[in-house]
Amino acid sequence: MSRLIEELDYRPTPMGPIILRRRWVSALDRDVVEVILGDEHLMSSLFTVGETELATLGLARASGADLKVLVGGLGLGYTAQAALADPRVASVEVADAIEAVIDWHRAGIVPIGESLGANPRCILTHADFFGLFDAGPGQDDRLDVILLDIDHSPYRLLNPAHARFYTAEGLTRMKTWLTPSGVFALWSDDAPDADFLALLGTVFTNPTAQVVPFANPLTGDSSTCTIYVAGC
């Protein structure tokens, strides 16, 4: 048995301290790795189905081969890992605004080890995802799939500055970076939101909101998240 809580890393950020910790859960007889930002619980190695399904459902809507994928938000890396598992994917770039998170992956102290940082098809970029689209794309910058998992939902934001993205203008700006058959997918911790689905419909084609259930061993029941998927 390990210590009840072991702090693996602690760094100050403009949004509050970010902590990577390992916590012993006696009810499960196992360690769980968690990411905490300020007062926000961001990720847990106990719940990874939603992060994996974000990649699976987003890529299921994509067509063709040699796909270029951009992931917004690195976290514990399960979305990027799932995207790289698709043989049609040529490259995955992951943008994260917090450099510490990238350092964790390069050092291999996350549950999936250093598999992302050592993968030649994966690029870990220290950048604000929401600022990437302020300038138009270059000739070779077009993306086939954009996967986003940063905020809790389109209306529960980690940073109020992110709100400009979840508008018709912000989504349209992002769409210019996608190929004509490109796909945008978004993870949300909330139930499907009709207003956001309608907003997606003003910019994209045939947006959907799929509820993804996953086991919750802490309660013995199941929990859900939502994956929004929309095409150009």
Side-chain angles (χ1 to χ4, degrees):
M1 174 177 162
S2 62
R3 289 179 292 177
L4 290 179
I5 296 180
E6 180 183 2
E7 191 173 279
L8 303 177
D9 193 25
Y10 176 103
R11 310 259 190 109
T13 82
M15 291 185 286
I18 190 162
I19 301 169
L20 181 69
R21 72 183 187 185
R22 183 184 292 115
R23 181 168 64 90
W24 175 259
V25 181
S26 57
L28 304 178
D29 193 29
R30 60 178 283 194
D31 281 322
V32 173
V33 175
E34 300 169 321
V35 180
I36 312 294
L37 178 62
D39 296 326
E40 303 279 358
H41 191 287
L42 295 190
M43 282 201 71
S44 168
S45 61
L46 194 59
F47 307 111
T48 63
V49 172
E51 286 78 6
T52 299
E53 285 298 293
L54 172 61
T56 301
L57 295 173
L59 284 162
R61 184 83 174 261
S63 59
D66 297 324
L67 300 176
K68 292 177 62 177
V69 178
L70 172 66
V71 178
L74 177 54
L76 294 178
Y78 291 98
T79 298
Q81 183 184 59
L84 288 164
D86 189 317
R88 300 173 301 149
V89 170
S91 65
V92 174
E93 180 176 4
V94 190
D96 201 289
I98 300 177
E99 192 169 14
V101 180
I102 295 173
D103 291 342
W104 300 340
H105 283 266
R106 290 181 173 153
I109 61 174
V110 290
I112 65 172
E114 59 180 7
S115 57
L116 296 184
N119 192 317
R121 294 161 56 218
C122 186
I123 300 171
L124 305 181
T125 301
H126 177 215
D128 173 21
F129 171 88
F130 301 104
L132 293 178
F133 312 108
D134 289 344
Q139 185 174 357
D140 299 323
D141 293 334
R142 301 279 181 177
L143 300 160
D144 297 292
V145 180
I146 296 176
L147 308 172
L148 177 57
D149 177 7
I150 292 178
D151 295 303
H152 295 305
S153 81
Y155 302 113
R156 289 199 295 132
L157 310 181
L158 292 180
N159 186 333
H162 298 172
R164 69 188 182 101
F165 176 82
Y166 301 99
T167 63
E169 181 182 357
L171 293 169
T172 299
R173 198 161 46 234
M174 177 195 64
K175 185 182 176 183
T176 64
W177 283 74
L178 285 166
T179 62
S181 60
V183 176
F184 169 60
L186 167 72
W187 174 89
S188 172
D189 196 35
D190 292 345
D193 187 278
D195 290 339
F196 184 68
L197 201 57
L199 175 62
L200 283 174
T202 66
V203 179
F204 294 96
T205 301
N206 190 28
T208 60
Q210 182 166 329
V211 176
V212 174
F214 54 92
N216 187 333
L218 295 176
T219 63
D221 204 344
S222 65
S223 298
T224 63
C225 63
T226 300
I227 305 297
Y228 295 92
V229 182
C232 290

